[in-house]
Amino acid sequence: MSFIPGQPVTAVVQRVEIQKLCEGDHLILGFSIGGGMDQDPVQNPYSEDKTDKGIYVTRVTPQGPAEKAGLMMGDKIMQVNGWDMTMVTHDQARKRLTKKKEDVVRLLVTRKSLEEAVKHSMCGYPKQ
Amino acid sequence: MVASRASKIDSLRSTVDLLKLPLVLSTRSISERKSQLGGGGGARKAGPPPPPPPPPPPPPATRDNMDNESQYSGYSYKSSHSRTSRKHRDRRERHRSKSRDSSSRGDKSVTIQAPGEPLLDAESTRGDDRDDNWGETTTVVTGTSVDSVSNEDLTRVSKDLEESVPLRCTRFAGPVLGGCLSLFALLTPLAFLVLPQALWREALDPCGTPCEGLYVSLAFKLLVLLISSWALFLRPARSALPRFFVFRCLLMVLVFLFVASYWLFYGVRVLEPRERDYRGIVEYAASLVDALLFIQYLALVLLEVRHLQPAFCLKVVRSTDGVSRFYNVGHLSIQRASVWVLDHYYTDFPVYNPALLNLPKSILSKKMTGFKVYSLDESSTNNSTGQSRAMIAAAARRRDNSHNEFYYEEAEMDRRVRKRKARLVVAVEEAFTHIKRLHDDEVAASPKHPREVMDPREAAQAIFAPMARAMQKYLRTTRQQPFHSMESILSHLQFCITHNMSPKAFLERYLSPGPTMQYQRESDRGRQWTLVSEEPVTSALRQSLVFSLRRLDFALVVTVTPLPFLRIGEEFIDPKSHKFVMRLQSETSV
């Protein structure tokens, strides 16, 4: 999940669609995010590359909409509804996720196990 | 007839003897023997005339002959081939024999004659003697008889002669001239004032208060001139330079011209017509004093101030052991810069110790002895450079382990020095605990235990004995023993005791080689240095100038580089602009 500045980022992603839950007068998604361009990347426990300033899922509330949709702790959020999340500040990320007008968010998330799964499956097939 | 038959029998007998020799011998030697045996065989030897006596074989070649006799098989002078082809064949044979030699010995070599002069010079052999003196046993090595003077004594005597340079009178010519000139210049205004009074006093206009005011100012100005001259210029010269000091000469010429022109004017305009305006004369004298003050200001700037601002960086390297220092100097001429460098040399550079210079001979000599080279050609003296180069190339190709020995020898040396140093430190500390200072108010002990009161010298002698051996061994290991005699150690010990110094302070003199000033003898008349330079020594310092200061056994090489031009910019920081934030990893729940 490391990146080279200037080169396009490639990752194996999973599409996660979360329906926002109405609780009182907020719409909640049921997870917590950490990270961002203005944060200290060294303290991120989930990232492999400690210079990665992306948005990571730090906590998933049990029985919440995010858990139901398949979001896991430690995922890196690459896109939210088409908006890029790899180069945003923490506040921008929060805003993108909590827009009042939207009630469903489609995330592209990536995690290490996805990459490994793809690698394993690819190994089975000989190269053409 | 009998006689002739006898001679025939004799000749036959000689032939038989010859035929007994092994057949492997060349025809040449047989024919040589035949010719040597004389004319008896001459009648029977038909065909080619007896060959000219062959040249005696070279001595090293005779040694080779024993194992390589077959090489002579081509050297048949008796053969009917022409001389040129024989020469070619000789050369070919020689070449072939050379290659055969090298292949038999297994190393690549070319013919080089054994060098006539020793490969290492006399200096290193003397070092060998010093190596022998290292050990516990003091063996006295004398290479000479009782009556003769050894080589070391000779160099020491010549060195002493060099050191005590006889007082040269030309050293004082410059200062004396300058002194006379300045005295003349100082007395001139007084002379200007006094002469009219002495010669035509009656005819002078009376000059009241303004003149007296001028007298006062004149007096004070002269006093200031006198004091500043004394302060600036009346100092004992500390160095004798090879060429004139250009600025000083310039100033003296200026002063002389100045005063001379004033006198000229005075003589023509005042003395001749017997000028009556005394006030004008006093003003004239005052103007001379002013001008002298200004010249002194010029002298101050040129001689003292100009070279204070640093402009060049001098790198000084000692040629024998590579100790180097960097100094910043201002605009100076080469000779003044050399004086400056030498001033700092005596206090900054560690003392020159010739015993520490060379690699031990055991390491160096290994290179030369493992490698034998023979010359088969005597007339090879004109090819010496080629041969030495070939030898060096061959030595370089050979796998060489002397660095290994050097490393271990160094490690061993370090270990030995540290061991001796530890013993010395312990011995000195212990020795210092034996005495203590007696204060005035301490009443002398009771008569039962009378203590002997000693002065510093005796105290030093009392405690020197236990540490003497350790000290001597340490000095010998670090090769410092020529610098410290027993007397000097004792006086240093006395000095330290007198001033309440600790054992460590006493030892600082011996544990590290101090600057050369520390080892000066007071009775020195002066040190002789030679300034070697490609440029004239009165020229100013400039970039990439190199000059060297040479003494008998070492030299200081000085390289000049200009100091870089510094461009310093400015950046203003508002003190209120120092703000910080904590780096966070905040977590937001969405």
Side-chain angles (χ1 to χ4, degrees):
Chain A
M1 289 202 260
S2 59
F3 69 98
I4 302 165
Q7 303 294 319
V9 176
T10 54
V12 180
V13 296
Q14 176 183 352
R15 277 205 188 87
V16 172
E17 190 174 314
I18 308 179
Q19 299 287 336
K20 284 192 187 177
L21 186 64
C22 192
E23 228 181 62
D25 56 345
H26 321 293
L27 291 164
I28 63 164
L29 287 164
F31 64 97
S32 298
I33 55 167
M37 286 292 285
D38 53 344
Q39 304 288 314
D40 185 9
V42 178
Q43 298 185 29
N44 190 344
Y46 303 108
S47 60
E48 272 182 25
D49 177 14
K50 290 304 174 192
T51 57
D52 186 7
K53 292 187 171 178
I55 307 289
Y56 283 78
V57 173
T58 54
R59 212 167 39 89
V60 177
T61 43
Q63 313 305 322
E67 201 190 2
K68 279 197 211 124
L71 195 66
M72 290 169 54
M73 196 169 75
D75 292 352
K76 178 177 173 183
I77 302 177
M78 307 294 279
Q79 276 186 15
V80 169
N81 288 343
W83 294 98
D84 172 57
M85 281 288 162
T86 54
M87 286 270 182
V88 292
T89 62
H90 189 87
D91 209 40
Q92 285 172 341
R94 182 190 57 83
K95 279 189 194 152
R96 298 256 165 77
L97 282 166
T98 53
K99 285 206 177 341
K100 288 234 163 72
K101 288 190 194 145
E102 302 167 352
D103 56 352
V104 67
V105 286
R106 292 182 181 84
L107 312 176
L108 287 179
V109 300
T110 180
R111 64 181 84 94
K112 187 105 189 301
S113 53
L114 287 175
E115 300 236 6
E116 278 175 14
V118 169
K119 241 188 261 173
H120 278 260
S121 61
M122 269 171 55
C123 276
Y125 297 104
K127 277 217 167 103
Q128 273 116 29
Chain B
M1 196 171 65
V2 176
S4 66
R5 206 176 297 153
S7 66
K8 242 191 191 179
I9 295 173
D10 286 348
S11 58
L12 280 173
R13 201 179 294 134
S14 65
T15 320
V16 165
D17 289 342
L18 272 181
L19 288 174
K20 275 207 208 131
L21 294 169
L23 285 169
V24 76
L25 270 189
S26 61
T27 46
R28 172 180 173 263
S29 45
I30 291 175
S31 53
E32 173 196 349
R33 300 286 164 83
K34 273 193 195 163
S35 66
Q36 279 174 355
L37 279 172
R44 212 138 5 89
K45 265 198 296 208
T62 45
R63 281 204 295 276
D64 293 349
N65 270 348
M66 298 306 151
D67 42 0
N68 296 63
E69 275 186 339
S70 52
Q71 64 185 279
Y72 278 87
S73 53
Y75 280 34
S76 163
Y77 283 88
K78 282 229 3 162
S79 65
S80 52
H81 293 266
S82 68
R83 192 186 286 168
T84 48
S85 76
R86 196 190 310 145
K87 223 191 297 173
H88 285 310
R89 207 176 332 116
D90 288 354
R91 219 174 283 136
R92 204 167 10 102
E93 283 297 313
R94 202 173 299 136
H95 188 71
R96 214 182 302 151
S97 72
K98 256 193 247 172
S99 56
R100 221 181 300 139
D101 277 358
S102 57
S103 61
S104 65
R105 287 197 193 88
D107 50 359
K108 304 179 184 52
S109 72
V110 293
T111 63
I112 301 168
Q113 215 154 25
E117 61 285 330
L119 288 162
L120 302 170
D121 56 346
E123 172 80 323
S124 58
T125 52
R126 250 198 314 196
D128 223 5
D129 293 346
R130 290 197 206 112
D131 282 4
D132 287 338
N133 270 335
W134 260 23
E136 303 291 317
T137 61
T138 47
T139 43
V140 176
V141 179
T142 47
T144 60
S145 70
V146 175
D147 296 334
S148 62
V149 180
S150 71
N151 199 16
E152 295 191 19
D153 287 344
L154 264 178
T155 47
R156 205 183 324 133
V157 162
S158 63
K159 246 194 199 171
D160 287 345
L161 276 179
E162 278 277 343
E163 303 279 319
S164 59
V165 172
L167 207 60
R168 278 210 294 225
C169 297
T170 53
R171 203 164 108 176
F172 297 108
V176 163
L177 194 64
C180 294
L181 195 62
S182 55
L183 206 63
F184 177 57
L186 279 175
L187 292 177
T188 304
L190 299 174
F192 283 1
L193 291 179
V194 162
L195 278 175
Q197 294 276 350
L199 293 177
W200 62 91
R201 166 175 256 167
E202 323 74 35
L204 281 175
D205 291 342
C207 170
T209 328
C211 265
E212 280 159 16
L214 282 170
Y215 288 159
V216 172
S217 80
L218 205 69
F220 276 113
K221 282 186 199 158
L222 273 178
L223 185 70
V224 166
L225 253 182
L226 203 67
I227 293 179
S228 55
S229 303
W230 167 83
L232 281 175
F233 305 123
L234 263 79
R235 284 179 292 196
R238 277 188 37 249
S239 53
L241 298 173
R243 295 275 170 99
F244 293 133
F245 186 179
V246 172
F247 284 148
R248 195 164 28 201
C249 287
L250 199 73
L251 284 167
M252 293 209 295
V253 165
L254 197 66
V255 166
F256 177 71
L257 280 178
F258 212 74
V259 173
S261 61
Y262 261 71
W263 267 109
L264 194 67
F265 186 83
Y266 187 75
V268 168
R269 292 297 185 146
V270 174
L271 288 181
E272 281 286 320
R274 299 214 163 200
E275 176 69 36
R276 296 173 60 212
D277 180 13
Y278 192 57
R279 189 173 152 184
I281 295 175
V282 177
E283 277 172 359
Y284 184 63
S287 78
L288 173 63
V289 176
D290 285 339
L292 284 176
L293 272 173
F294 286 134
I295 291 188
Q296 189 161 74
Y297 163 72
L298 186 68
L300 184 68
V301 163
L302 278 181
L303 297 180
E304 305 283 325
V305 173
R306 182 170 184 254
H307 59 79
L308 287 179
Q309 188 179 37
F312 294 102
C313 182
L314 300 182
K315 178 175 181 181
V316 185
V317 182
R318 187 154 64 185
S319 66
T320 48
D321 50 1
V323 177
S324 68
R325 295 278 185 282
F326 286 83
Y327 298 117
N328 282 358
V329 295
H331 290 278
L332 287 173
S333 63
I334 293 182
Q335 53 184 5
R336 282 174 82 195
S338 56
V339 171
W340 203 95
V341 163
L342 285 178
D343 279 342
H344 288 258
Y345 167 79
Y346 277 108
T347 51
D348 283 342
F349 276 65
V351 69
Y352 168 64
N353 194 348
L356 288 172
L357 286 178
N358 309 92
L359 287 180
K361 199 173 168 203
S362 54
I363 293 175
L364 277 179
S365 61
K366 282 242 164 81
K367 268 200 185 165
M368 310 297 176
T369 54
F371 192 64
K372 284 191 190 202
V373 164
Y374 292 104
S375 155
L376 296 176
D377 180 21
E378 285 141 46
S379 61
S380 56
T381 47
N382 51 0
N383 204 9
S384 52
T385 48
Q387 291 170 357
S388 50
R389 220 177 292 142
M391 185 169 182
I392 292 170
R397 261 179 269 142
R398 216 171 69 104
R399 200 162 56 111
D400 171 23
N401 278 339
S402 62
H403 55 85
N404 224 357
E405 294 171 26
F406 178 54
Y407 170 73
Y408 284 116
E409 179 105 20
E410 279 243 318
E412 177 68 26
M413 179 70 172
D414 276 345
R415 205 179 59 83
R416 206 183 288 153
V417 166
R418 264 185 277 139
K419 194 171 69 160
R420 297 262 167 104
K421 178 178 163 183
R423 286 200 189 143
L424 175 68
V425 167
V426 165
V428 170
E429 297 253 359
E430 237 177 296
F432 267 66
T433 58
H434 290 319
I435 57 166
K436 110 182 160 82
R437 187 173 265 269
L438 183 71
H439 297 285
D440 293 336
D441 50 346
E442 270 184 19
V443 181
S446 60
K448 267 188 286 181
H449 312 280
R451 283 199 206 160
E452 189 188 312
V453 176
M454 299 183 283
D455 66 349
R457 176 88 191 165
E458 290 161 4
Q461 276 165 341
I463 63 173
F464 181 64
M467 68 164 99
R469 193 153 175 267
M471 173 74 82
Q472 185 192 38
K473 277 206 226 164
Y474 177 79
L475 288 180
R476 220 178 251 172
T477 312
T478 54
R479 323 270 197 127
Q480 277 176 329
Q481 77 272 24
F483 295 122
H484 303 288
S485 67
M486 201 174 88
E487 182 56 41
S488 76
I489 302 177
L490 265 175
S491 52
H492 184 63
L493 189 55
Q494 178 188 340
F495 172 77
C496 289
I497 294 178
T498 317
H499 291 276
N500 285 331
M501 292 204 197
S502 73
K504 219 180 210 177
F506 165 68
L507 281 175
E508 66 82 30
R509 198 175 188 199
Y510 304 106
L511 291 179
S512 56
T516 317
M517 272 310 259
Q518 201 175 323
Y519 305 99
Q520 295 282 58
R521 288 170 304 202
E522 289 80 16
S523 61
D524 260 337
R525 279 275 192 82
R527 299 263 164 181
Q528 174 74 17
W529 290 82
T530 312
L531 179 56
V532 178
S533 148
E534 289 162 13
E535 304 249 327
V537 298
T538 48
S539 59
L541 290 178
R542 57 183 175 72
Q543 183 180 14
S544 63
L545 192 64
V546 176
F547 60 95
S548 69
L549 290 156
R550 204 170 30 166
R551 233 175 118 66
L552 278 179
D553 33 5
F554 63 93
L556 297 172
V557 181
V558 181
T559 318
V560 180
T561 41
L563 287 175
F565 180 72
L566 302 169
R567 224 171 257 130
I568 300 182
E570 183 205 345
E571 185 182 329
F572 174 68
I573 296 185
D574 186 5
K576 290 207 249 296
S577 69
H578 296 293
K579 296 193 192 312
F580 294 91
V581 289
M582 283 288 285
R583 292 184 81 166
L584 300 170
Q585 187 71 11
S586 57
E587 203 183 334
T588 324
S589 56
V590 292

